[in-house]
Amino acid sequence: MDKELSLSAIWTAAGTLTILGYLLGRYRIWAGIIAFVLAALMAWAQIEELIDPYVGPAIAAEAGRSYFVQSYFASALALIAPIAGVIQRRIRDSRQFRCQDFPS
């Protein structure tokens, strides 16, 4: 575990990507896509170690299953946030479009 990221480092990176991804997704769709790609790269780098047939069991023996669960959960949050931001923007834009069609 001396070569693996600590859970606090994983959560810090995932939390930062989650917040930035959501905000960038709400700002512009292309920015949300960039944030999603960055989150996917982070998730892939972390999960690749966990599913390795030699390294994964050693991590499980030393850090426990909670390390796996928290790593997967943090990665999932970082991946979902930009998508949620883009969806939120699309909903907001469609509401503004409908309100402009029918003036009061």
Coordinates of all heavy atoms in Angstrom, one line a residue:
M1 N 0.8 -1.2 0.0 CA 0.0 0.0 0.0 C 0.9 1.3 0.0 O 0.3 2.3 -0.2 CB -0.9 0.0 1.2 CG -2.1 -0.9 1.1 SD -3.2 -0.6 -0.3 CE -3.8 1.0 0.0
D2 N 2.2 1.1 0.2 CA 3.0 2.3 0.2 C 3.1 3.0 -1.2 O 3.4 4.1 -1.3 CB 4.4 2.0 0.7 CG 5.1 1.0 -0.1 OD1 4.4 0.1 -0.8 OD2 6.4 1.0 -0.2
K3 N 2.7 2.2 -2.3 CA 2.8 2.8 -3.6 C 1.4 3.1 -4.1 O 1.2 3.7 -5.2 CB 3.4 1.8 -4.6 CG 4.9 1.6 -4.3 CD 5.5 0.5 -5.2 CE 6.9 0.3 -5.0 NZ 7.2 -0.4 -3.8
E4 N 0.3 2.9 -3.4 CA -1.0 3.2 -3.7 C -1.5 4.5 -3.1 O -0.9 4.9 -2.1 CB -2.0 2.0 -3.3 CG -1.7 0.7 -4.0 CD -1.9 0.8 -5.5 OE1 -2.8 1.5 -6.0 OE2 -1.1 0.2 -6.2
L5 N -2.5 5.1 -3.7 CA -3.0 6.3 -3.1 C -3.8 6.0 -1.9 O -4.5 5.0 -1.8 CB -4.0 7.0 -4.2 CG -3.3 7.6 -5.4 CD1 -4.4 8.1 -6.4 CD2 -2.4 8.7 -5.1
S6 N -3.8 6.9 -0.9 CA -4.6 6.7 0.3 C -6.0 7.1 -0.1 O -6.3 7.7 -1.1 CB -4.0 7.7 1.4 OG -4.2 9.0 1.0
L7 N -6.9 6.7 0.8 CA -8.3 7.0 0.6 C -8.6 8.5 0.6 O -9.4 9.0 -0.1 CB -9.2 6.2 1.6 CG -9.4 4.8 1.3 CD1 -10.2 4.1 2.5 CD2 -10.2 4.6 0.0
S8 N -7.9 9.2 1.5 CA -8.1 10.6 1.5 C -7.6 11.3 0.2 O -8.3 12.2 -0.3 CB -7.3 11.2 2.7 OG -5.9 11.0 2.6
A9 N -6.5 10.8 -0.4 CA -6.1 11.3 -1.7 C -7.1 11.0 -2.8 O -7.4 11.8 -3.7 CB -4.7 10.8 -2.0
I10 N -7.7 9.8 -2.7 CA -8.7 9.4 -3.7 C -9.9 10.2 -3.6 O -10.4 10.7 -4.6 CB -9.0 7.9 -3.6 CG1 -7.8 7.0 -4.0 CG2 -10.3 7.5 -4.4 CD1 -8.0 5.5 -3.6
W11 N -10.4 10.4 -2.4 CA -11.6 11.3 -2.2 C -11.3 12.7 -2.5 O -12.2 13.4 -3.0 CB -12.1 11.1 -0.8 CG -12.9 9.9 -0.6 CD1 -12.6 8.8 0.1 CD2 -14.2 9.7 -1.2 NE1 -13.7 7.9 0.0 CE2 -14.7 8.4 -0.8 CE3 -15.1 10.4 -2.0 CZ2 -15.9 7.8 -1.2 CZ3 -16.3 9.9 -2.4 CH2 -16.7 8.6 -2.0
T12 N -10.1 13.2 -2.3 CA -9.8 14.6 -2.6 C -9.9 14.8 -4.1 O -10.5 15.8 -4.6 CB -8.5 15.0 -2.0 OG1 -8.5 14.9 -0.6 CG2 -8.1 16.5 -2.4
A13 N -9.2 13.9 -4.8 CA -9.2 14.0 -6.3 C -10.6 13.8 -6.9 O -11.0 14.6 -7.8 CB -8.2 13.0 -6.9
A14 N -11.3 12.8 -6.4 CA -12.7 12.6 -6.9 C -13.6 13.7 -6.5 O -14.5 14.1 -7.3 CB -13.2 11.3 -6.3
G15 N -13.5 14.3 -5.3 CA -14.3 15.4 -4.9 C -14.1 16.6 -5.8 O -15.0 17.3 -6.2
T16 N -12.8 16.9 -6.0 CA -12.5 18.0 -6.9 C -13.0 17.8 -8.3 O -13.7 18.7 -8.9 CB -11.0 18.2 -6.9 OG1 -10.5 18.4 -5.6 CG2 -10.6 19.4 -7.8
L17 N -12.8 16.6 -8.9 CA -13.4 16.3 -10.2 C -14.9 16.3 -10.2 O -15.5 16.7 -11.2 CB -12.8 15.0 -10.7 CG -11.4 15.0 -11.2 CD1 -10.9 13.6 -11.6 CD2 -11.3 15.9 -12.5
T18 N -15.5 15.9 -9.1 CA -17.0 15.9 -9.1 C -17.5 17.3 -9.1 O -18.4 17.6 -9.9 CB -17.5 15.2 -7.8 OG1 -17.0 13.8 -7.8 CG2 -19.0 15.2 -7.7
I19 N -17.0 18.2 -8.3 CA -17.5 19.6 -8.3 C -17.2 20.3 -9.6 O -18.0 20.9 -10.2 CB -16.9 20.3 -7.1 CG1 -17.4 19.7 -5.8 CG2 -17.2 21.8 -7.1 CD1 -16.7 20.2 -4.5
L20 N -15.9 20.2 -10.0 CA -15.6 20.8 -11.3 C -16.3 20.3 -12.5 O -16.8 21.0 -13.4 CB -14.1 20.7 -11.5 CG -13.2 21.6 -10.7 CD1 -11.7 21.3 -11.0 CD2 -13.4 23.0 -11.0
G21 N -16.5 19.0 -12.5 CA -17.2 18.3 -13.6 C -18.7 18.8 -13.7 O -19.2 19.1 -14.7
Y22 N -19.3 18.9 -12.5 CA -20.7 19.3 -12.5 C -20.8 20.8 -12.9 O -21.6 21.1 -13.8 CB -21.3 19.2 -11.1 CG -22.7 19.7 -11.0 CD1 -23.7 18.9 -11.5 CD2 -23.0 20.9 -10.4 CE1 -25.0 19.4 -11.4 CE2 -24.3 21.4 -10.3 CZ -25.3 20.6 -10.8 OH -26.6 21.1 -10.7
L23 N -19.9 21.6 -12.4 CA -20.0 23.1 -12.8 C -19.6 23.3 -14.2 O -20.3 24.1 -14.9 CB -19.0 23.9 -11.9 CG -19.5 23.9 -10.4 CD1 -18.4 24.7 -9.6 CD2 -20.8 24.6 -10.2
L24 N -18.6 22.6 -14.7 CA -18.2 22.7 -16.1 C -19.3 22.2 -17.1 O -19.6 22.7 -18.1 CB -16.9 22.0 -16.4 CG -15.7 22.7 -15.9 CD1 -14.5 21.8 -16.0 CD2 -15.5 24.0 -16.5
G25 N -20.0 21.1 -16.6 CA -21.1 20.5 -17.4 C -22.3 21.5 -17.5 O -22.9 21.6 -18.5
R26 N -22.5 22.2 -16.4 CA -23.6 23.2 -16.5 C -23.2 24.5 -17.3 O -24.0 25.2 -17.8 CB -23.9 23.7 -15.0 CG -24.7 22.6 -14.3 CD -25.4 23.2 -13.1 NE -26.3 24.3 -13.6 CZ -27.2 24.8 -12.8 NH1 -27.4 24.3 -11.6 NH2 -27.9 25.8 -13.2
Y27 N -21.9 24.7 -17.4 CA -21.4 25.9 -18.1 C -21.5 25.6 -19.6 O -22.1 26.4 -20.3 CB -19.9 26.2 -17.7 CG -19.3 27.3 -18.5 CD1 -19.8 28.6 -18.4 CD2 -18.3 27.1 -19.3 CE1 -19.2 29.7 -19.1 CE2 -17.7 28.1 -20.1 CZ -18.2 29.4 -19.9 OH -17.6 30.4 -20.7
R28 N -20.8 24.6 -20.1 CA -20.8 24.3 -21.5 C -20.8 22.8 -21.7 O -20.1 22.1 -20.9 CB -19.6 24.9 -22.3 CG -19.6 26.4 -22.3 CD -20.4 26.9 -23.5 NE -20.2 28.3 -23.6 CZ -21.2 29.2 -23.4 NH1 -22.4 28.8 -23.1 NH2 -20.9 30.5 -23.6
I29 N -21.4 22.3 -22.7 CA -21.4 20.8 -22.9 C -20.0 20.3 -23.2 O -19.6 19.3 -22.7 CB -22.4 20.5 -24.1 CG1 -23.8 20.7 -23.6 CG2 -22.2 19.0 -24.5 CD1 -24.9 20.5 -24.7
W30 N -19.3 21.0 -24.0 CA -17.9 20.6 -24.3 C -17.0 20.6 -23.1 O -16.1 19.7 -23.0 CB -17.3 21.4 -25.5 CG -17.1 22.9 -25.2 CD1 -18.0 23.8 -25.5 CD2 -16.1 23.5 -24.5 NE1 -17.6 25.1 -25.1 CE2 -16.4 24.9 -24.4 CE3 -14.9 23.1 -23.9 CZ2 -15.6 25.8 -23.8 CZ3 -14.1 24.0 -23.3 CH2 -14.4 25.3 -23.3
A31 N -17.2 21.5 -22.2 CA -16.5 21.5 -20.9 C -16.8 20.3 -20.1 O -16.0 19.7 -19.4 CB -16.7 22.8 -20.2
G32 N -18.1 19.9 -20.1 CA -18.5 18.7 -19.4 C -17.9 17.5 -19.9 O -17.6 16.5 -19.2
I33 N -17.8 17.4 -21.3 CA -17.1 16.3 -21.9 C -15.7 16.2 -21.5 O -15.2 15.1 -21.2 CB -17.3 16.4 -23.4 CG1 -18.8 16.2 -23.8 CG2 -16.4 15.3 -24.2 CD1 -19.1 16.5 -25.3
I34 N -15.0 17.3 -21.5 CA -13.6 17.3 -21.0 C -13.5 16.8 -19.6 O -12.6 16.0 -19.3 CB -13.0 18.7 -21.2 CG1 -12.8 19.0 -22.7 CG2 -11.6 18.8 -20.5 CD1 -12.4 20.4 -23.0
A35 N -14.4 17.3 -18.7 CA -14.3 16.9 -17.3 C -14.6 15.4 -17.2 O -14.0 14.7 -16.4 CB -15.4 17.7 -16.5
F36 N -15.6 14.9 -18.0 CA -15.9 13.5 -18.0 C -14.7 12.6 -18.5 O -14.4 11.6 -17.8 CB -17.1 13.2 -19.0 CG -17.4 11.7 -19.0 CD1 -18.2 11.2 -18.0 CD2 -17.0 10.9 -20.0 CE1 -18.6 9.8 -18.0 CE2 -17.3 9.5 -20.0 CZ -18.1 9.0 -19.0
V37 N -13.9 13.1 -19.5 CA -12.7 12.4 -19.9 C -11.7 12.4 -18.8 O -11.0 11.3 -18.6 CB -12.2 13.0 -21.2 CG1 -10.8 12.4 -21.6 CG2 -13.2 12.8 -22.4
L38 N -11.5 13.5 -18.1 CA -10.5 13.5 -17.0 C -10.9 12.6 -15.9 O -10.1 11.9 -15.3 CB -10.4 14.9 -16.5 CG -9.6 15.9 -17.4 CD1 -9.7 17.3 -16.8 CD2 -8.2 15.5 -17.6
A39 N -12.2 12.6 -15.6 CA -12.7 11.7 -14.5 C -12.6 10.2 -15.0 O -12.2 9.3 -14.2 CB -14.2 12.0 -14.2
A40 N -12.8 9.9 -16.3 CA -12.6 8.6 -16.8 C -11.2 8.1 -16.7 O -10.9 7.0 -16.3 CB -13.2 8.5 -18.2
L41 N -10.3 9.0 -17.0 CA -8.8 8.7 -16.9 C -8.5 8.4 -15.4 O -7.7 7.4 -15.2 CB -8.0 9.8 -17.5 CG -8.0 9.9 -19.0 CD1 -7.3 11.2 -19.4 CD2 -7.5 8.7 -19.7
M42 N -9.0 9.2 -14.5 CA -8.7 9.0 -13.1 C -9.2 7.7 -12.6 O -8.6 6.9 -11.9 CB -9.2 10.1 -12.2 CG -8.9 10.0 -10.8 SD -10.1 10.5 -9.6 CE -11.5 9.5 -9.9
A43 N -10.5 7.4 -13.0 CA -11.1 6.1 -12.6 C -10.4 4.9 -13.2 O -10.2 3.9 -12.5 CB -12.6 6.2 -13.1
W44 N -10.0 5.0 -14.5 CA -9.3 3.9 -15.1 C -8.0 3.6 -14.4 O -7.7 2.5 -14.2 CB -9.1 4.2 -16.6 CG -8.4 3.1 -17.3 CD1 -8.7 1.8 -17.4 CD2 -7.2 3.3 -18.1 NE1 -7.8 1.2 -18.2 CE2 -6.9 2.0 -18.6 CE3 -6.4 4.4 -18.4 CZ2 -5.8 1.9 -19.4 CZ3 -5.3 4.2 -19.2 CH2 -5.0 2.9 -19.7
A45 N -7.3 4.7 -14.1 CA -6.0 4.5 -13.4 C -6.1 3.8 -12.1 O -5.3 3.0 -11.7 CB -5.3 5.8 -13.3
Q46 N -7.2 4.2 -11.3 CA -7.4 3.7 -10.0 C -7.9 2.2 -10.1 O -7.4 1.3 -9.4 CB -8.4 4.5 -9.2 CG -8.7 4.0 -7.9 CD -7.5 3.9 -6.9 OE1 -6.5 4.6 -7.1 NE2 -7.6 3.1 -6.0
I47 N -8.9 2.0 -10.9 CA -9.5 0.7 -11.0 C -8.6 -0.3 -11.7 O -8.7 -1.5 -11.4 CB -10.9 0.8 -11.7 CG1 -11.8 1.6 -10.8 CG2 -11.5 -0.5 -12.0 CD1 -13.1 2.0 -11.4
E48 N -7.8 0.1 -12.6 CA -6.8 -0.8 -13.2 C -6.0 -1.5 -12.2 O -5.7 -2.7 -12.3 CB -6.0 0.0 -14.2 CG -5.0 -0.9 -15.0 CD -4.1 -0.1 -15.9 OE1 -3.8 1.1 -15.5 OE2 -3.7 -0.6 -16.9
E49 N -5.6 -0.8 -11.2 CA -4.8 -1.4 -10.1 C -5.6 -2.4 -9.3 O -5.1 -3.4 -8.9 CB -4.2 -0.3 -9.1 CG -3.3 0.6 -9.8 CD -1.9 0.0 -9.9 OE1 -1.5 -0.8 -9.0 OE2 -1.2 0.3 -10.9
L50 N -6.9 -2.1 -9.1 CA -7.7 -2.9 -8.2 C -8.1 -4.2 -8.9 O -8.2 -5.3 -8.3 CB -9.0 -2.2 -7.8 CG -8.8 -0.9 -7.0 CD1 -10.1 -0.2 -6.8 CD2 -8.0 -1.2 -5.8
I51 N -8.2 -4.2 -10.2 CA -8.6 -5.5 -11.0 C -7.4 -6.3 -11.4 O -7.5 -7.3 -12.0 CB -9.5 -5.2 -12.1 CG1 -8.8 -4.3 -13.2 CG2 -10.8 -4.5 -11.6 CD1 -9.7 -4.1 -14.4
D52 N -6.2 -5.8 -11.2 CA -5.0 -6.5 -11.6 C -4.9 -7.8 -10.8 O -5.1 -7.8 -9.6 CB -3.7 -5.7 -11.3 CG -2.5 -6.3 -11.8 OD1 -2.1 -6.1 -12.9 OD2 -1.8 -7.1 -11.0
P53 N -4.7 -8.9 -11.5 CA -4.7 -10.2 -10.8 C -3.6 -10.4 -9.7 O -3.7 -11.3 -8.8 CB -4.5 -11.3 -11.9 CG -4.0 -10.5 -13.1 CD -4.4 -9.1 -12.9
Y54 N -2.5 -9.6 -9.8 CA -1.5 -9.7 -8.8 C -1.5 -8.6 -7.7 O -1.3 -8.9 -6.6 CB -0.1 -9.7 -9.5 CG 0.1 -10.8 -10.5 CD1 0.0 -10.5 -11.9 CD2 0.2 -12.1 -10.1 CE1 0.1 -11.5 -12.8 CE2 0.4 -13.1 -11.0 CZ 0.3 -12.8 -12.4 OH 0.4 -13.8 -13.3
V55 N -1.8 -7.4 -8.2 CA -1.8 -6.3 -7.2 C -3.2 -6.2 -6.5 O -3.2 -5.9 -5.3 CB -1.6 -5.0 -8.0 CG1 -1.7 -3.8 -7.1 CG2 -0.3 -5.0 -8.7
G56 N -4.3 -6.5 -7.1 CA -5.6 -6.4 -6.5 C -5.7 -7.3 -5.2 O -6.2 -6.7 -4.2
P57 N -5.4 -8.6 -5.2 CA -5.5 -9.3 -4.0 C -4.6 -8.8 -2.9 O -4.9 -8.9 -1.7 CB -5.1 -10.8 -4.4 CG -5.4 -10.8 -5.9 CD -5.1 -9.4 -6.4
A58 N -3.4 -8.3 -3.3 CA -2.5 -7.8 -2.2 C -3.1 -6.5 -1.6 O -3.0 -6.3 -0.4 CB -1.2 -7.4 -2.8
I59 N -3.8 -5.7 -2.4 CA -4.4 -4.5 -1.9 C -5.6 -4.9 -1.0 O -5.8 -4.4 0.1 CB -4.9 -3.6 -3.0 CG1 -3.8 -3.0 -3.8 CG2 -5.8 -2.5 -2.5 CD1 -4.2 -2.2 -5.0
A60 N -6.4 -5.9 -1.4 CA -7.5 -6.4 -0.6 C -7.0 -6.9 0.7 O -7.6 -6.7 1.8 CB -8.3 -7.4 -1.4
A61 N -5.9 -7.7 0.7 CA -5.4 -8.2 2.0 C -4.9 -7.1 2.9 O -5.0 -7.3 4.1 CB -4.2 -9.2 1.7
E62 N -4.3 -6.1 2.4 CA -3.6 -5.1 3.2 C -4.6 -4.0 3.6 O -4.6 -3.5 4.7 CB -2.4 -4.5 2.5 CG -1.5 -3.8 3.5 CD -0.2 -3.4 2.8 OE1 0.3 -4.1 1.9 OE2 0.4 -2.4 3.2
A63 N -5.4 -3.5 2.6 CA -6.3 -2.4 2.9 C -7.7 -2.8 3.2 O -8.5 -2.0 3.8 CB -6.3 -1.4 1.7
G64 N -8.1 -3.9 2.8 CA -9.5 -4.4 3.1 C -10.4 -4.0 1.9 O -10.1 -3.3 1.0
R65 N -11.6 -4.6 2.0 CA -12.6 -4.4 1.0 C -13.2 -3.0 0.9 O -13.7 -2.5 -0.1 CB -13.8 -5.4 1.1 CG -13.4 -6.8 0.8 CD -13.3 -7.0 -0.7 NE -12.7 -8.3 -1.0 CZ -12.2 -8.6 -2.1 NH1 -12.2 -7.7 -3.1 NH2 -11.7 -9.8 -2.4
S66 N -13.1 -2.3 2.0 CA -13.7 -0.9 2.0 C -12.8 0.0 1.1 O -13.4 0.9 0.6 CB -13.7 -0.3 3.5 OG -12.4 -0.1 3.9
Y67 N -11.6 -0.3 0.9 CA -10.7 0.4 0.0 C -11.3 0.3 -1.4 O -11.4 1.3 -2.2 CB -9.3 0.0 0.1 CG -8.3 0.8 -0.8 CD1 -7.7 1.9 -0.3 CD2 -8.0 0.4 -2.1 CE1 -6.9 2.7 -1.0 CE2 -7.2 1.2 -2.8 CZ -6.6 2.3 -2.3 OH -5.7 3.0 -3.1
F68 N -11.7 -0.9 -1.8 CA -12.3 -1.2 -3.1 C -13.6 -0.5 -3.3 O -13.8 0.2 -4.3 CB -12.5 -2.7 -3.3 CG -11.3 -3.4 -3.7 CD1 -10.3 -3.7 -2.7 CD2 -11.1 -3.9 -5.0 CE1 -9.1 -4.4 -3.1 CE2 -10.0 -4.6 -5.3 CZ -9.0 -4.8 -4.4
V69 N -14.5 -0.6 -2.3 CA -15.8 0.0 -2.3 C -15.7 1.5 -2.5 O -16.3 2.1 -3.3 CB -16.7 -0.4 -1.1 CG1 -18.0 0.4 -1.1 CG2 -16.9 -1.9 -1.1
Q70 N -14.9 2.1 -1.6 CA -14.7 3.6 -1.7 C -14.0 4.0 -3.0 O -14.4 5.1 -3.5 CB -13.9 4.1 -0.5 CG -14.7 3.9 0.8 CD -14.0 4.6 2.0 OE1 -13.6 5.7 1.9 NE2 -13.9 3.8 3.1
S71 N -13.1 3.3 -3.5 CA -12.5 3.6 -4.8 C -13.5 3.6 -5.9 O -13.5 4.6 -6.7 CB -11.3 2.7 -5.1 OG -10.3 2.8 -4.2
Y72 N -14.3 2.6 -6.0 CA -15.3 2.5 -7.0 C -16.4 3.6 -6.8 O -16.8 4.2 -7.8 CB -16.0 1.1 -7.0 CG -15.2 0.0 -7.5 CD1 -14.9 -1.1 -6.8 CD2 -14.7 0.1 -8.9 CE1 -14.1 -2.1 -7.3 CE2 -14.0 -1.0 -9.4 CZ -13.7 -2.1 -8.6 OH -12.9 -3.1 -9.2
F73 N -16.8 3.9 -5.6 CA -17.8 4.9 -5.4 C -17.3 6.3 -5.7 O -18.0 7.1 -6.4 CB -18.3 4.8 -3.9 CG -19.5 5.7 -3.6 CD1 -20.7 5.4 -4.2 CD2 -19.4 6.8 -2.8 CE1 -21.8 6.2 -3.9 CE2 -20.4 7.6 -2.6 CZ -21.7 7.3 -3.1
A74 N -16.1 6.6 -5.3 CA -15.5 7.9 -5.7 C -15.4 8.0 -7.2 O -15.6 9.1 -7.7 CB -14.1 8.0 -5.0
S75 N -14.9 7.0 -7.9 CA -14.8 7.1 -9.3 C -16.2 7.3 -10.0 O -16.3 8.0 -10.9 CB -14.2 5.8 -9.8 OG -12.9 5.6 -9.3
A76 N -17.2 6.6 -9.5 CA -18.5 6.7 -10.0 C -19.1 8.1 -9.9 O -19.7 8.7 -10.8 CB -19.5 5.7 -9.4
L77 N -18.9 8.7 -8.7 CA -19.3 10.1 -8.5 C -18.6 11.0 -9.4 O -19.3 11.9 -10.0 CB -19.0 10.5 -7.0 CG -20.0 10.0 -6.0 CD1 -19.5 10.5 -4.6 CD2 -21.4 10.5 -6.2
A78 N -17.3 10.9 -9.6 CA -16.6 11.8 -10.5 C -17.1 11.6 -12.0 O -17.1 12.5 -12.8 CB -15.1 11.5 -10.4
L79 N -17.5 10.4 -12.3 CA -18.0 10.2 -13.7 C -19.5 10.6 -13.9 O -19.8 11.1 -15.0 CB -17.9 8.7 -14.0 CG -16.5 8.1 -14.3 CD1 -16.6 6.6 -14.4 CD2 -16.0 8.7 -15.6
I80 N -20.3 10.6 -12.9 CA -21.7 10.9 -13.0 C -21.9 12.5 -13.0 O -22.8 13.0 -13.6 CB -22.5 10.3 -11.9 CG1 -22.5 8.7 -12.2 CG2 -23.9 10.8 -11.8 CD1 -23.1 7.9 -11.0
A81 N -21.0 13.2 -12.2 CA -21.2 14.6 -12.0 C -21.2 15.4 -13.3 O -22.1 16.3 -13.5 CB -20.1 15.1 -11.1
P82 N -20.3 15.2 -14.3 CA -20.4 16.0 -15.5 C -21.7 15.7 -16.3 O -22.2 16.6 -16.9 CB -19.1 15.6 -16.3 CG -18.2 15.0 -15.3 CD -19.1 14.4 -14.2
I83 N -22.1 14.5 -16.3 CA -23.3 14.1 -17.0 C -24.5 14.8 -16.3 O -25.4 15.3 -17.0 CB -23.5 12.6 -17.0 CG1 -22.3 11.9 -17.7 CG2 -24.8 12.2 -17.6 CD1 -22.3 10.4 -17.6
A84 N -24.5 14.8 -15.0 CA -25.6 15.5 -14.3 C -25.6 17.0 -14.6 O -26.7 17.6 -14.8 CB -25.5 15.3 -12.8
G85 N -24.4 17.6 -14.7 CA -24.3 19.0 -15.0 C -24.9 19.3 -16.4 O -25.6 20.3 -16.6
V86 N -24.5 18.5 -17.4 CA -25.0 18.7 -18.8 C -26.5 18.5 -18.8 O -27.2 19.3 -19.5 CB -24.3 17.7 -19.7 CG1 -25.0 17.7 -21.1 CG2 -22.8 18.0 -19.9
I87 N -27.0 17.5 -18.1 CA -28.5 17.3 -18.1 C -29.2 18.5 -17.5 O -30.2 19.0 -17.9 CB -28.8 16.0 -17.4 CG1 -28.4 14.8 -18.2 CG2 -30.3 15.9 -17.1 CD1 -28.5 13.5 -17.5
Q88 N -28.6 19.0 -16.4 CA -29.2 20.2 -15.7 C -29.2 21.4 -16.6 O -30.2 22.1 -16.7 CB -28.4 20.5 -14.5 CG -29.0 21.6 -13.6 CD -30.1 21.1 -12.8 OE1 -30.2 19.9 -12.5 NE2 -31.0 21.9 -12.4
R89 N -28.2 21.5 -17.4 CA -28.1 22.6 -18.4 C -29.2 22.5 -19.4 O -29.8 23.4 -19.8 CB -26.7 22.8 -19.0 CG -26.6 23.9 -20.0 CD -25.3 23.9 -20.7 NE -25.3 24.8 -21.8 CZ -25.1 26.1 -21.7 NH1 -25.0 26.7 -20.5 NH2 -25.1 26.9 -22.8
R90 N -29.3 21.3 -20.0 CA -30.3 21.0 -21.0 C -31.7 21.3 -20.5 O -32.5 21.8 -21.2 CB -30.2 19.6 -21.5 CG -28.9 19.2 -22.1 CD -28.7 19.6 -23.5 NE -29.8 18.9 -24.3 CZ -29.8 19.0 -25.6 NH1 -28.9 19.6 -26.2 NH2 -30.8 18.4 -26.2
I91 N -32.0 20.9 -19.3 CA -33.3 21.2 -18.7 C -33.5 22.7 -18.5 O -34.6 23.2 -18.9 CB -33.4 20.4 -17.3 CG1 -33.5 18.9 -17.5 CG2 -34.7 20.9 -16.5 CD1 -33.4 18.1 -16.3
R92 N -32.5 23.4 -18.0 CA -32.6 24.8 -17.9 C -32.8 25.5 -19.2 O -33.7 26.4 -19.4 CB -31.4 25.4 -17.2 CG -31.5 26.8 -16.9 CD -30.2 27.4 -16.4 NE -29.2 27.4 -17.5 CZ -27.9 27.3 -17.3 NH1 -27.4 27.4 -16.2 NH2 -27.1 27.3 -18.4
D93 N -32.1 25.1 -20.2 CA -32.2 25.7 -21.6 C -33.6 25.4 -22.2 O -34.2 26.3 -22.8 CB -31.1 25.2 -22.5 CG -29.8 25.8 -22.1 OD1 -29.7 26.7 -21.3 OD2 -28.8 25.2 -22.7
S94 N -34.1 24.2 -22.0 CA -35.4 23.9 -22.5 C -36.5 24.7 -21.8 O -37.5 25.1 -22.5 CB -35.7 22.4 -22.5 OG -35.9 22.0 -21.1
R95 N -36.4 24.9 -20.5 CA -37.4 25.7 -19.8 C -37.4 27.2 -20.3 O -38.4 27.8 -20.4 CB -37.1 25.6 -18.3 CG -37.6 24.4 -17.7 CD -37.4 24.4 -16.2 NE -37.8 23.1 -15.7 CZ -37.4 22.7 -14.5 NH1 -36.7 23.4 -13.7 NH2 -37.8 21.5 -14.1
Q96 N -36.2 27.7 -20.5 CA -36.1 29.1 -21.0 C -36.6 29.2 -22.4 O -37.3 30.2 -22.7 CB -34.6 29.5 -21.0 CG -34.1 29.8 -19.6 CD -32.6 30.2 -19.6 OE1 -31.9 30.1 -20.7 NE2 -32.1 30.6 -18.5
F97 N -36.4 28.2 -23.2 CA -36.9 28.2 -24.6 C -38.5 28.2 -24.5 O -39.1 28.9 -25.2 CB -36.4 27.0 -25.3 CG -36.9 26.9 -26.7 CD1 -36.5 27.8 -27.7 CD2 -37.8 26.0 -27.1 CE1 -36.9 27.8 -29.0 CE2 -38.3 25.9 -28.4 CZ -37.8 26.8 -29.4
R98 N -39.1 27.4 -23.7 CA -40.5 27.3 -23.6 C -41.1 28.6 -23.1 O -42.1 29.1 -23.5 CB -41.0 26.1 -22.7 CG -41.0 24.8 -23.5 CD -41.6 23.8 -22.6 NE -40.5 23.0 -22.0 CZ -40.5 22.5 -20.8 NH1 -41.5 22.7 -20.0 NH2 -39.5 21.9 -20.3
C99 N -40.4 29.2 -22.1 CA -40.9 30.5 -21.5 C -40.8 31.6 -22.5 O -41.6 32.6 -22.5 CB -40.2 30.8 -20.3 SG -40.5 29.7 -18.9
Q100 N -39.9 31.6 -23.4 CA -39.7 32.7 -24.4 C -40.8 32.5 -25.5 O -41.1 33.5 -26.2 CB -38.3 32.6 -25.0 CG -37.3 33.1 -24.0 CD -35.9 32.9 -24.6 OE1 -35.7 32.4 -25.7 NE2 -34.9 33.3 -23.9
D101 N -41.3 31.3 -25.7 CA -42.3 31.1 -26.8 C -43.6 31.7 -26.4 O -44.3 32.2 -27.3 CB -42.5 29.6 -27.0 CG -41.3 29.0 -27.8 OD1 -40.6 29.8 -28.4 OD2 -41.2 27.8 -27.9
F102 N -43.9 31.8 -25.2 CA -45.2 32.3 -24.7 C -45.0 33.5 -23.8 O -45.0 33.3 -22.6 CB -46.0 31.2 -24.0 CG -46.2 29.9 -24.8 CD1 -45.4 28.8 -24.6 CD2 -47.1 29.9 -25.9 CE1 -45.6 27.6 -25.3 CE2 -47.2 28.8 -26.7 CZ -46.5 27.7 -26.4
P103 N -45.0 34.7 -24.3 CA -44.8 35.8 -23.5 C -46.0 36.1 -22.6 O -47.2 35.8 -23.0 CB -44.6 37.0 -24.4 CG -45.1 36.5 -25.8 CD -45.1 35.0 -25.7
S104 N -45.8 36.6 -21.4 CA -46.9 36.9 -20.5 C -47.7 38.1 -20.9 O -47.3 39.1 -21.3 CB -46.3 37.1 -19.1 OG -45.6 36.0 -18.7

